[in-house]
Amino acid sequence: LQTTFQSSGLINQDAISFAIIRYNDNNNYFTTVPNTTLAGIYQGSLYVSDASGSGITNYSPITYNPGDLTVNQKPLTITASQQSTTYGTIFNLDQTAYNASGFAMNNLGDSVTSLTILYNNNTTVPSTTIALTYTNALIASDASGSGLSNYVIGYQAGNLVVNLRPLYIKPSSLV
């Protein structure tokens, strides 16, 4: 926890130089926020005690007021993986071809269970798509899963590779 706090009522250059700040989670007090704490605002969950500093013995009573804890969302990046097909083939994009990076170390089951991957706003690559590498052509979006409210989700596009189709030519029979 940050050791910042605000005080009011001090005079004559008296100053608070130290105080203990604790996080209250269901009457369990911590000096660090457990890494299992979900993103959100926890009103009145920070408690200050044991203030010390210059001239503090001149004040009584000392009133400690609770403060709010804000746990920010963690960045999560979902990248569409490269997918390949062959020219002349209708190709259904693999909706599970992605990589999610940035889950909390203790992710507690946080996961992406589905998302949408599109090429030109379709889940299918037409057979008429010319043989090329289409850089950043696969667009991931609409992730769903468990625990995703703890994250700010960013998406990275993936490549679509349309491979050349083999062509076989042989001479006709001559008579």
Side-chain angles (χ1 to χ4, degrees):
L1 292 174
Q2 292 182 5
T3 57
T4 58
F5 47 84
Q6 296 176 344
S7 62
S8 61
L10 293 172
I11 59 171
N12 298 329
Q13 297 182 338
D14 294 342
I16 297 172
S17 58
F18 177 81
I20 294 175
I21 300 174
R22 290 185 178 91
Y23 167 62
N24 176 8
D25 181 18
N26 295 321
N27 292 322
N28 295 306
Y29 291 86
F30 303 95
T31 55
T32 59
V33 178
N35 63 3
T36 55
T37 306
L38 302 177
I41 298 173
Y42 297 85
Q43 295 182 341
S45 64
L46 296 179
Y47 290 85
V48 181
S49 66
D50 303 322
S52 62
S54 63
I56 198 153
T57 57
N58 293 314
Y59 300 89
S60 181
I62 296 176
T63 303
Y64 298 101
N65 295 314
D68 300 337
L69 171 69
T70 300
V71 177
N72 294 321
Q73 293 173 305
K74 185 175 181 355
L76 177 69
T77 302
I78 300 174
T79 304
S81 298
Q82 178 172 300
Q83 297 189 45
S84 299
T85 186
T86 301
Y87 172 73
T89 304
I90 296 173
F91 180 67
N92 293 316
L93 292 169
D94 181 354
Q95 300 297 306
T96 63
Y98 61 88
N99 179 25
S101 61
F103 281 115
M105 289 178 58
N106 66 320
N107 77 25
L108 301 175
D110 296 349
S111 66
V112 175
T113 55
S114 71
L115 67 107
T116 302
I117 299 175
L118 299 175
Y119 169 71
N120 284 342
N121 293 318
N122 291 295
T123 59
T124 302
V125 178
S127 62
T128 56
T129 305
I130 296 173
L132 286 174
T133 296
Y134 297 88
T135 304
N136 295 328
L138 300 179
I139 307 300
S141 63
D142 301 326
S144 63
S146 63
L148 296 183
S149 62
N150 291 306
Y151 301 91
V152 175
I153 300 174
Y155 296 96
Q156 296 290 321
N159 297 340
L160 171 66
V161 177
V162 179
N163 296 308
L164 297 171
R165 181 176 196 81
L167 177 62
Y168 303 100
I169 302 173
K170 70 177 187 172
S172 301
S173 298
L174 294 176
V175 180

